[in-house]
Amino acid sequence: MRTAEHYFTVPLDHFASTEDAGAAPETITVFAREYVSTAHTAAEAAKLPWLLFLQGGPGGRGNRLASLNGWSKAAARDFRILMLDQRGTGLSSPVDRNTLPLRGTVEAQAAYLEHFRADSIVADAELIRTALGSGPWSIYGQSYGGFCALSYLSFAPQGLREALITGGLAPLSGPADDVYRATFRRVAARNAEYFSWYPEDRRTVERIAAHLRQTEEFLPDGGRLTVERFQMVGSFLGGNTRVDGLHYLLEDAFIETARGARLSDGFLEQVQGIVSRLANPLYALMHESIYGQGQASGWAAWRVLQEYPEFQPDAEPLLLTGEMVYPWYFEQDAALRPLQQVAELVARKDDWKPLYDKPRLAVNRVPVAAAVYRDDIYVERTLALETAAAVRGLQVWETGEFHHDGISDDGEAIFGRLLGMARSARD
């Protein structure tokens, strides 16, 4: 493959009125990397249409591809791939514990974060498309990237040739509570399925929980591993083959020492990579805001958790959790502790702008194809299908063959199928 790096200067606030602007509007930098297959000459590649990839998150930088494989291999046959670092991530004016406090007061920091949602990401994409001299382009949204794709269809459909979505049909309305009630049930079922495959891991999980209640164990960054942080390893449950990684993590959890049984350094190092938000603090800060439209999230997952006592850290048997974000993250994770006050303000914000235009989606003319994973523990099937029905012409491929990260297992086939569906709709 060949790559090229692109840097764009974009307004921090795409939606500021001329009266609000006053002096020159503030700008930020947005980075994207272009990937082209060497099967195409430079001259041929320059004529290829663009495919914008919108990754999951929120708060994750664009994938750094070492080679074209899976979905990118399939896409590179017909497209120039543009991998976007969504604003605030990677090389796009990053937001973290070091940069955000530079905005000033906690209130100023929270106001800054208002500009890091899907509507602004879409506005960035349209500015970038124009800067690249592209006509309407194709987009591919995975997980949260699919949420962004729905915003794109709502606010700038004229910029789209077609949209592909995997595991990312967001609910168009309703409180975040509805999402978490559905996903808690899915995660509980996935726990049961996992422990039916690996019954010995049920004993290991209980042993780890009992050990952590009685013995202080610390991660390599110095933070304490609590039972509730350990439950976060349930993020493995959202994958197909990745789920087996949970078993490999647990199988060498303990070692015998002069002080008795302790958690191994290898186990603790791996767990830190799962529970720390050092590399992507926007995920914790903005996660529930992706559902916010005219109402506060109010730590929705934490409130709904109280309805599911089986997920409490003192429950027996202990259940592992999914991708939910709780207020104690900002107490127990050193990378998030400096952002605790701003996180509270974001959680209480009740005047979020709409992320979707339902009347426009109802008359959509852009070909859209979406994969809905029947047992997805992050994007609930029933809510996804409700959204699909609300978008004119959206074609659904519902399957129980894959979980949320299906494109990691057979991305080439999934991409090809969705592209074929979208193209058939246009033809």
Side-chain angles (χ1 to χ4, degrees):
M1 65 185 183
R2 292 188 300 272
T3 66
E5 288 69 49
H6 300 274
Y7 292 86
F8 305 91
T9 299
V10 303
L12 170 65
D13 185 356
H14 284 279
F15 313 108
S17 66
T18 53
E19 291 79 10
D20 295 335
E26 183 176 357
T27 60
I28 59 173
T29 297
V30 171
F31 171 80
R33 181 173 278 113
E34 172 186 350
Y35 294 93
V36 177
S37 171
T38 53
H40 306 290
T41 67
E44 291 169 343
K47 298 177 182 178
L48 290 174
W50 286 99
L51 173 76
L52 175 70
F53 182 74
L54 299 164
Q55 82 281 2
R61 68 179 188 174
N63 300 334
R64 268 50 177 174
L65 303 180
S67 64
L68 295 173
N69 58 71
W71 73 264
S72 64
K73 179 180 178 181
R77 297 187 188 113
D78 302 303
F79 295 98
R80 301 163 74 180
I81 300 169
L82 193 68
M83 184 70 65
L84 181 68
D85 279 359
Q86 296 170 12
R87 53 171 49 203
T89 74
L91 296 176
S92 295
S93 297
V95 173
D96 61 22
R97 60 177 178 167
N98 299 307
T99 63
L100 190 56
L102 298 177
R103 302 300 304 185
T105 65
V106 174
E107 291 76 15
Q109 294 173 45
Y112 183 67
L113 290 175
E114 293 178 16
H115 307 299
F116 289 80
R117 296 205 306 160
D119 50 353
S120 294
I121 293 169
V122 168
D124 288 343
E126 272 298 273
L127 187 151
I128 290 168
R129 181 181 66 82
T130 302
L132 292 174
S134 173
W137 60 5
S138 304
I139 61 172
Y140 180 17
Q142 156 65 14
S143 188
Y144 174 65
F147 290 33
C148 294
L150 288 169
S151 293
Y152 215 140
L153 291 164
S154 294
F155 304 130
Q158 71 280 359
L160 299 179
R161 181 187 185 196
E162 61 213 352
L164 313 180
I165 297 172
T166 48
L169 288 180
L172 300 179
S173 59
D177 303 48
D178 295 343
V179 173
Y180 293 113
R181 287 192 179 94
T183 54
F184 271 120
R185 292 192 292 269
R186 288 282 182 192
V187 175
R190 187 65 164 160
N191 270 264
E193 184 177 38
Y194 175 81
F195 289 119
S196 72
W197 298 334
Y198 294 108
E200 66 273 30
D201 287 357
R202 164 51 62 204
R203 295 186 293 272
T204 301
V205 165
E206 296 305 319
R207 184 185 177 193
I208 293 171
H211 176 79
L212 292 175
R213 293 182 186 116
Q214 299 172 2
T215 306
E216 289 189 337
E217 292 277 10
F218 295 91
L219 299 168
D221 66 0
R224 185 176 177 184
L225 179 60
T226 59
V227 176
E228 53 266 37
R229 293 189 87 184
F230 167 62
Q231 287 177 282
M232 293 169 66
V233 303
S235 60
F236 279 100
L237 298 175
N240 270 45
T241 54
R242 185 169 177 264
V243 71
D244 297 301
L246 177 58
H247 174 68
Y248 301 140
L249 171 70
L250 295 172
E251 68 181 359
D252 60 354
F254 284 98
I255 58 170
E256 292 300 326
T257 74
R259 299 172 295 164
R262 301 300 297 260
L263 295 179
S264 72
D265 285 345
F267 173 80
L268 292 169
E269 182 178 29
Q270 292 176 78
V271 170
Q272 177 174 292
I274 298 166
V275 306
S276 172
R277 295 300 176 196
L278 182 65
N280 59 341
L282 272 180
Y283 181 90
L285 281 168
M286 302 299 290
H287 188 78
E288 291 194 353
S289 80
I290 67 177
Y291 303 108
Q293 299 187 88
Q295 56 192 337
S297 68
W299 300 111
W302 180 245
R303 288 185 288 100
V304 173
L305 175 66
Q306 313 313 312
E307 303 171 18
Y308 295 88
E310 62 269 33
F311 281 97
Q312 294 289 349
D314 58 355
E316 294 183 4
L318 186 75
L319 294 185
L320 305 177
T321 57
E323 64 174 5
M324 301 79 167
V325 173
Y326 307 118
W328 56 258
Y329 277 23
F330 294 85
E331 300 168 2
Q332 298 191 23
D333 188 337
L336 296 178
R337 209 168 290 140
L339 306 175
Q340 185 172 10
Q341 288 182 295
V342 68
E344 286 291 342
L345 290 183
V346 171
R348 292 203 298 267
K349 181 177 171 58
D350 60 4
D351 58 349
W352 293 110
K353 297 176 182 176
L355 291 169
Y356 312 108
D357 184 331
K358 290 194 283 186
R360 179 172 280 185
L361 292 174
V363 294
N364 169 63
R365 299 184 63 84
V366 178
V368 187
V372 173
Y373 303 130
R374 195 168 296 137
D375 301 308
D376 196 329
I377 67 171
Y378 298 142
V379 179
E380 163 61 28
R381 166 190 173 272
T382 55
L383 298 178
L385 293 179
E386 288 177 9
T387 295
V391 181
R392 180 181 179 273
L394 189 153
Q395 298 185 80
V396 170
W397 170 43
E398 183 180 350
T399 176
E401 185 178 354
F402 300 102
H403 282 263
H404 190 69
D405 65 349
I407 62 171
S408 297
D409 291 299
D410 197 0
E412 189 169 1
I414 292 172
F415 179 87
R417 178 166 185 154
L418 294 180
L419 183 62
M421 291 167 62
R423 293 282 167 88
S424 66
R426 188 173 62 244
D427 297 341

